[in-house]
Amino acid sequence: MEAKSLPAALELVASGGAGLSPELRAALGASLLLVQRDYRFERVWFWGRIQGLRGAYYIAEGLGPDRAAPRSRLYSLNCVEWSLLPPATEEMLAQAEQLRGRFQGDPSYEYEYTEINAEDAERLFEDGKEPVIKEEARLVATIEQIDRAVGIVPRGAFVKTPLGTVHENRNFEGLSLVVAKKLSSYFHFTEPVNLKNKTLLEKADLDPSTDFLDSLEHDVPQGSWTVHPEKGGTVVVLRSLLWLGLTFYHVPMTKQYGYIYFGTGEKNLDLPFML
Protein backbone atom coordinates (compact mmCIF):
# COMPACT_ATOMS: atom_id res chain seq x y z
CA MET A 1 0.00 0.00 0.00
CA GLU A 2 1.08 3.57 -0.65
CA ALA A 3 3.54 4.75 2.00
CA LYS A 4 2.06 8.23 2.35
CA SER A 5 -1.44 6.85 3.03
CA LEU A 6 -0.23 4.13 5.42
CA PRO A 7 -1.87 5.39 8.68
CA ALA A 8 -5.34 5.63 7.14
CA ALA A 9 -4.92 2.35 5.23
CA LEU A 10 -3.91 0.42 8.35
CA GLU A 11 -7.13 1.53 10.03
CA LEU A 12 -9.14 0.05 7.15
CA VAL A 13 -7.47 -3.39 7.37
CA ALA A 14 -7.17 -3.53 11.16
CA SER A 15 -9.97 -6.10 11.45
CA GLY A 16 -7.68 -8.66 9.84
CA GLY A 17 -5.02 -8.25 12.51
CA ALA A 18 -2.73 -5.94 10.51
CA GLY A 19 -1.31 -3.23 12.72
CA LEU A 20 1.78 -1.35 13.79
CA SER A 21 2.64 0.50 16.98
CA PRO A 22 2.65 4.34 16.88
CA GLU A 23 6.45 4.26 17.15
CA LEU A 24 6.82 2.00 14.09
CA ARG A 25 4.31 4.06 12.11
CA ALA A 26 6.28 7.21 12.83
CA ALA A 27 9.56 5.53 11.92
CA LEU A 28 8.12 4.21 8.65
CA GLY A 29 6.65 7.57 7.71
CA ALA A 30 10.07 9.22 7.98
CA SER A 31 12.34 6.44 6.68
CA LEU A 32 10.32 5.55 3.58
CA LEU A 33 10.50 9.16 2.39
CA LEU A 34 14.29 8.93 2.65
CA VAL A 35 14.25 5.60 0.79
CA GLN A 36 12.25 7.18 -2.03
CA ARG A 37 14.69 10.08 -2.23
CA ASP A 38 17.92 8.09 -1.94
CA TYR A 39 16.96 5.36 -4.43
CA ARG A 40 15.09 7.78 -6.72
CA PHE A 41 11.90 5.75 -6.76
CA GLU A 42 8.78 7.30 -8.26
CA ARG A 43 6.61 5.59 -5.64
CA VAL A 44 7.26 3.54 -2.51
CA TRP A 45 4.83 0.91 -1.24
CA PHE A 46 4.91 -0.56 2.25
CA TRP A 47 4.50 -4.26 1.49
CA GLY A 48 4.11 -5.63 5.01
CA ARG A 49 5.84 -7.70 7.66
CA ILE A 50 7.04 -11.30 7.82
CA GLN A 51 7.29 -12.40 11.43
CA GLY A 52 10.18 -14.68 12.36
CA LEU A 53 10.99 -16.51 15.57
CA ARG A 54 13.68 -14.03 16.67
CA GLY A 55 12.67 -10.92 14.78
CA ALA A 56 10.52 -9.48 12.00
CA TYR A 57 11.24 -8.31 8.46
CA TYR A 58 9.54 -5.10 7.36
CA ILE A 59 9.29 -4.97 3.57
CA ALA A 60 9.02 -2.02 1.17
CA GLU A 61 8.84 -1.92 -2.63
CA GLY A 62 10.10 0.83 -4.92
CA LEU A 63 8.41 1.49 -8.25
CA GLY A 64 9.47 3.29 -11.42
CA PRO A 65 7.42 4.84 -14.25
CA ASP A 66 6.40 1.41 -15.63
CA ARG A 67 4.32 -0.17 -12.88
CA ALA A 68 4.57 -3.65 -14.43
CA ALA A 69 8.37 -3.60 -14.44
CA PRO A 70 10.21 -5.65 -11.78
CA ARG A 71 10.07 -3.83 -8.45
CA SER A 72 13.00 -3.08 -6.19
CA ARG A 73 12.51 -4.60 -2.74
CA LEU A 74 14.01 -3.56 0.56
CA TYR A 75 13.82 -4.95 4.08
CA SER A 76 14.37 -3.53 7.53
CA LEU A 77 14.57 -5.03 10.99
CA ASN A 78 13.65 -1.80 12.79
CA CYS A 79 11.74 0.33 10.22
CA VAL A 80 14.63 2.83 10.19
CA GLU A 81 17.57 1.24 8.35
CA TRP A 82 16.76 -0.36 4.99
CA SER A 83 18.74 -2.85 2.88
CA LEU A 84 18.16 -3.56 -0.80
CA LEU A 85 17.28 -7.17 -1.63
CA PRO A 86 18.64 -8.92 -4.75
CA PRO A 87 16.18 -9.73 -7.58
CA ALA A 88 14.35 -13.04 -7.27
CA THR A 89 15.57 -15.83 -9.54
CA GLU A 90 13.88 -19.08 -10.54
CA GLU A 91 16.58 -20.96 -8.62
CA MET A 92 15.70 -19.03 -5.45
CA LEU A 93 12.02 -19.82 -5.93
CA ALA A 94 12.74 -23.52 -6.45
CA GLN A 95 14.93 -23.70 -3.34
CA ALA A 96 12.40 -21.83 -1.20
CA GLU A 97 9.73 -24.34 -2.23
CA GLN A 98 11.74 -27.05 -0.45
CA LEU A 99 11.85 -25.24 2.88
CA ARG A 100 9.27 -25.61 5.61
CA GLY A 101 8.84 -23.97 8.98
CA ARG A 102 9.08 -20.47 10.33
CA PHE A 103 11.55 -17.75 9.40
CA GLN A 104 14.22 -17.10 12.03
CA GLY A 105 14.35 -13.32 11.68
CA ASP A 106 18.09 -13.35 10.92
CA PRO A 107 19.00 -12.68 7.25
CA SER A 108 22.38 -14.41 7.63
CA TYR A 109 20.84 -17.63 8.98
CA GLU A 110 21.69 -20.64 6.82
CA TYR A 111 19.43 -23.62 6.17
CA GLU A 112 21.61 -26.73 6.04
CA TYR A 113 21.39 -29.41 3.36
CA THR A 114 19.45 -31.68 5.73
CA GLU A 115 16.54 -29.26 5.32
CA ILE A 116 16.79 -29.29 1.52
CA ASN A 117 15.45 -31.88 -0.89
CA ALA A 118 18.03 -34.67 -1.34
CA GLU A 119 18.09 -34.38 -5.15
CA ASP A 120 18.72 -30.64 -4.98
CA ALA A 121 21.48 -31.15 -2.42
CA GLU A 122 23.18 -33.76 -4.64
CA ARG A 123 22.98 -31.45 -7.66
CA LEU A 124 24.59 -28.64 -5.67
CA PHE A 125 27.40 -30.94 -4.57
CA GLU A 126 28.05 -31.89 -8.22
CA ASP A 127 28.19 -28.20 -9.19
CA GLY A 128 30.78 -27.59 -6.50
CA LYS A 129 28.43 -25.43 -4.41
CA GLU A 130 27.60 -25.72 -0.75
CA PRO A 131 24.00 -26.98 -0.37
CA VAL A 132 23.07 -24.04 1.84
CA ILE A 133 20.24 -21.53 1.51
CA LYS A 134 20.52 -18.22 3.31
CA GLU A 135 17.40 -16.80 4.87
CA GLU A 136 17.80 -13.61 2.83
CA ALA A 137 17.34 -15.65 -0.36
CA ARG A 138 14.30 -17.36 1.13
CA LEU A 139 12.89 -13.94 2.03
CA VAL A 140 13.32 -12.70 -1.56
CA ALA A 141 11.62 -15.81 -2.95
CA THR A 142 8.73 -15.67 -0.48
CA ILE A 143 7.95 -12.03 -1.28
CA GLU A 144 8.00 -12.87 -4.99
CA GLN A 145 5.71 -15.87 -4.46
CA ILE A 146 3.18 -13.82 -2.49
CA ASP A 147 3.20 -10.98 -5.03
CA ARG A 148 2.63 -13.41 -7.89
CA ALA A 149 -0.11 -15.36 -6.14
CA VAL A 150 -2.10 -12.73 -4.23
CA GLY A 151 -0.83 -9.24 -5.14
CA ILE A 152 -4.00 -7.68 -6.58
CA VAL A 153 -5.47 -4.41 -7.91
CA PRO A 154 -9.01 -3.29 -8.85
CA ARG A 155 -10.11 -3.55 -12.48
CA GLY A 156 -9.37 -0.32 -14.31
CA ALA A 157 -6.81 1.00 -11.83
CA PHE A 158 -4.03 0.55 -14.39
CA VAL A 159 -3.88 0.90 -18.16
CA LYS A 160 -1.55 -0.68 -20.69
CA THR A 161 -0.22 1.58 -23.43
CA PRO A 162 0.31 0.48 -27.05
CA LEU A 163 4.05 0.40 -26.26
CA GLY A 164 3.43 -2.25 -23.58
CA THR A 165 4.15 -0.12 -20.50
CA VAL A 166 1.67 -0.02 -17.62
CA HIS A 167 0.65 3.20 -15.88
CA GLU A 168 -1.88 4.27 -13.28
CA ASN A 169 -5.23 5.15 -14.81
CA ARG A 170 -5.92 8.81 -14.08
CA ASN A 171 -9.58 8.30 -14.98
CA PHE A 172 -10.07 5.56 -12.39
CA GLU A 173 -12.51 6.80 -9.76
CA GLY A 174 -13.09 3.54 -7.93
CA LEU A 175 -15.56 0.67 -8.22
CA SER A 176 -19.17 0.89 -7.12
CA LEU A 177 -20.09 -1.10 -4.01
CA VAL A 178 -22.03 -3.69 -6.05
CA VAL A 179 -19.13 -4.23 -8.45
CA ALA A 180 -16.52 -4.13 -5.67
CA LYS A 181 -18.10 -7.19 -4.01
CA LYS A 182 -17.37 -9.36 -7.07
CA LEU A 183 -14.12 -11.32 -7.42
CA SER A 184 -14.15 -10.65 -11.16
CA SER A 185 -13.54 -6.95 -10.37
CA TYR A 186 -9.99 -7.64 -9.19
CA PHE A 187 -6.87 -8.64 -11.10
CA HIS A 188 -3.53 -10.23 -10.23
CA PHE A 189 -0.90 -7.54 -10.68
CA THR A 190 1.60 -9.86 -12.35
CA GLU A 191 2.29 -11.49 -15.71
CA PRO A 192 -1.04 -13.05 -16.89
CA VAL A 193 -1.32 -16.80 -17.35
CA ASN A 194 -5.02 -17.61 -17.87
CA LEU A 195 -5.55 -14.66 -20.21
CA LYS A 196 -3.11 -16.12 -22.75
CA ASN A 197 -5.15 -19.33 -22.88
CA LYS A 198 -8.44 -17.61 -23.73
CA THR A 199 -9.89 -17.92 -27.21
CA LEU A 200 -10.41 -14.95 -29.52
CA LEU A 201 -14.16 -15.21 -28.87
CA GLU A 202 -13.60 -14.94 -25.11
CA LYS A 203 -11.33 -11.95 -25.63
CA ALA A 204 -13.82 -10.16 -27.87
CA ASP A 205 -15.56 -8.37 -24.98
CA LEU A 206 -12.32 -7.43 -23.21
CA ASP A 207 -10.74 -4.00 -23.34
CA PRO A 208 -7.03 -4.60 -24.09
CA SER A 209 -6.04 -1.40 -22.29
CA THR A 210 -7.58 -2.42 -18.94
CA ASP A 211 -8.26 -6.19 -19.16
CA PHE A 212 -4.65 -7.29 -19.64
CA LEU A 213 -4.34 -9.19 -16.33
CA ASP A 214 -5.79 -12.38 -14.84
CA SER A 215 -9.02 -12.13 -12.85
CA LEU A 216 -9.39 -13.58 -9.35
CA GLU A 217 -12.56 -15.47 -10.28
CA HIS A 218 -10.52 -18.22 -11.93
CA ASP A 219 -8.10 -18.76 -9.03
CA VAL A 220 -7.41 -22.34 -7.99
CA PRO A 221 -8.59 -23.65 -5.62
CA GLN A 222 -12.02 -22.05 -5.79
CA GLY A 223 -12.85 -20.35 -2.50
CA SER A 224 -9.32 -19.17 -1.74
CA TRP A 225 -10.58 -15.58 -1.30
CA THR A 226 -13.09 -14.06 1.11
CA VAL A 227 -14.87 -10.78 0.31
CA HIS A 228 -16.34 -8.66 3.12
CA PRO A 229 -17.98 -5.22 2.98
CA GLU A 230 -17.01 -3.58 6.27
CA LYS A 231 -17.63 -0.35 8.16
CA GLY A 232 -21.19 -0.10 6.89
CA GLY A 233 -20.21 -0.79 3.28
CA THR A 234 -17.70 2.05 3.14
CA VAL A 235 -14.81 -0.34 2.49
CA VAL A 236 -14.53 -3.76 0.83
CA VAL A 237 -11.89 -6.11 2.23
CA LEU A 238 -10.50 -9.22 0.50
CA ARG A 239 -8.44 -11.79 2.40
CA SER A 240 -6.42 -14.65 1.00
CA LEU A 241 -6.84 -18.10 2.54
CA LEU A 242 -3.85 -19.38 0.54
CA TRP A 243 -1.39 -16.90 2.03
CA LEU A 244 -2.89 -16.16 5.42
CA GLY A 245 -2.16 -12.59 6.42
CA LEU A 246 -2.66 -10.97 3.00
CA THR A 247 -5.38 -8.31 3.19
CA PHE A 248 -6.59 -6.09 0.34
CA TYR A 249 -8.88 -3.09 0.79
CA HIS A 250 -10.78 -0.78 -1.55
CA VAL A 251 -12.96 2.18 -0.66
CA PRO A 252 -15.76 2.17 -3.30
CA MET A 253 -16.09 5.24 -5.53
CA THR A 254 -12.60 6.44 -4.57
CA LYS A 255 -9.02 5.79 -5.66
CA GLN A 256 -8.14 4.30 -2.28
CA TYR A 257 -6.98 0.69 -2.49
CA GLY A 258 -3.99 -1.43 -1.56
CA TYR A 259 -2.83 -4.67 0.00
CA ILE A 260 -0.60 -5.54 2.89
CA TYR A 261 0.82 -8.77 4.29
CA PHE A 262 1.22 -9.50 7.98
CA GLY A 263 2.09 -13.16 8.45
CA THR A 264 4.74 -15.82 8.92
CA GLY A 265 5.62 -16.22 5.23
CA GLU A 266 4.20 -19.75 5.11
CA LYS A 267 1.81 -20.92 2.41
CA ASN A 268 -1.39 -22.62 3.56
CA LEU A 269 -0.80 -25.98 1.87
CA ASP A 270 -3.83 -27.50 3.65
CA LEU A 271 -6.31 -25.15 1.98
CA PRO A 272 -7.68 -27.69 -0.57
CA PHE A 273 -8.64 -29.96 2.33
CA MET A 274 -10.24 -27.12 4.31
CA LEU A 275 -12.68 -25.98 1.61
Side-chain angles (χ1 to χ4, degrees):
M1 56 179 60
E2 191 77 31
K4 62 182 180 182
S5 61
L6 185 60
L10 285 174
E11 294 295 331
L12 297 175
V13 298
S15 61
L20 294 170
S21 67
E23 294 81 8
L24 290 178
R25 291 191 191 190
L28 277 175
S31 64
L32 290 180
L33 289 176
L34 297 176
V35 166
Q36 183 173 357
R37 183 200 67 185
D38 294 343
Y39 288 92
R40 298 182 180 180
F41 295 137
E42 190 169 292
R43 292 283 183 88
V44 174
W45 286 354
F46 178 64
W47 186 88
R49 178 181 69 197
I50 292 180
Q51 184 65 50
L53 296 174
R54 292 180 285 175
Y57 297 105
Y58 298 89
I59 313 298
E61 293 185 328
L63 292 83
D66 184 359
R67 296 294 190 262
R71 306 166 203 165
S72 298
R73 298 185 174 111
L74 306 96
Y75 77 93
S76 174
L77 301 176
N78 55 12
C79 293
V80 176
E81 300 171 332
W82 295 87
S83 301
L84 192 64
L85 288 167
T89 64
E90 292 303 321
E91 183 180 5
M92 287 181 182
L93 294 169
Q95 290 176 341
E97 285 283 352
Q98 306 298 326
L99 298 177
R100 297 290 180 268
R102 295 281 301 276
F103 278 81
Q104 297 297 313
D106 176 7
S108 62
Y109 179 81
E110 295 180 343
Y111 296 90
E112 300 296 337
Y113 71 92
T114 55
E115 300 171 78
I116 304 174
N117 180 281
E119 293 181 2
D120 291 340
E122 184 178 352
R123 178 174 55 80
L124 289 171
F125 270 128
E126 292 175 353
D127 294 341
K129 300 178 182 177
E130 285 291 328
V132 167
I133 302 175
K134 284 194 173 182
E135 182 154 283
E136 184 181 77
R138 184 189 180 189
L139 179 66
V140 171
T142 300
I143 297 170
E144 180 69 18
Q145 286 177 321
I146 293 175
D147 267 345
R148 288 185 185 182
V150 290
I152 62 176
V153 294
R155 181 181 183 272
F158 291 86
V159 293
K160 189 173 186 178
T161 68
L163 297 176
T165 58
V166 176
H167 303 281
E168 293 178 7
N169 186 0
R170 296 182 179 180
N171 296 320
F172 178 70
E173 296 296 338
L175 306 173
S176 67
L177 179 58
V178 174
V179 175
K181 291 190 289 186
K182 300 178 181 178
L183 275 181
S184 58
S185 301
Y186 302 96
F187 291 154
H188 289 280
F189 198 40
T190 187
E191 186 69 22
V193 177
N194 296 329
L195 185 65
K196 296 178 180 178
N197 299 325
K198 287 189 175 183
T199 64
L200 291 176
L201 185 61
E202 291 174 320
K203 293 180 180 180
D205 295 330
L206 301 180
D207 184 342
S209 64
T210 56
D211 299 321
F212 58 93
L213 300 169
D214 285 336
S215 170
L216 266 62
E217 64 179 334
H218 303 300
D219 280 12
V220 178
Q222 289 284 337
S224 60
W225 289 95
T226 63
V227 184
H228 299 285
E230 296 184 357
K231 300 184 183 294
T234 58
V235 60
V236 176
V237 175
L238 279 70
R239 296 188 179 90
S240 173
L241 301 180
L242 185 63
W243 288 94
L244 298 172
L246 190 287
T247 306
F248 171 89
Y249 78 94
H250 175 49
V251 179
M253 304 307 295
T254 75
K255 296 184 178 182
Q256 299 180 52
Y257 65 88
Y259 67 86
I260 194 166
Y261 179 80
F262 276 76
T264 60
E266 296 174 285
K267 189 176 182 179
N268 183 13
L269 299 175
D270 297 326
L271 179 60
F273 305 101
M274 298 168 64
L275 298 173

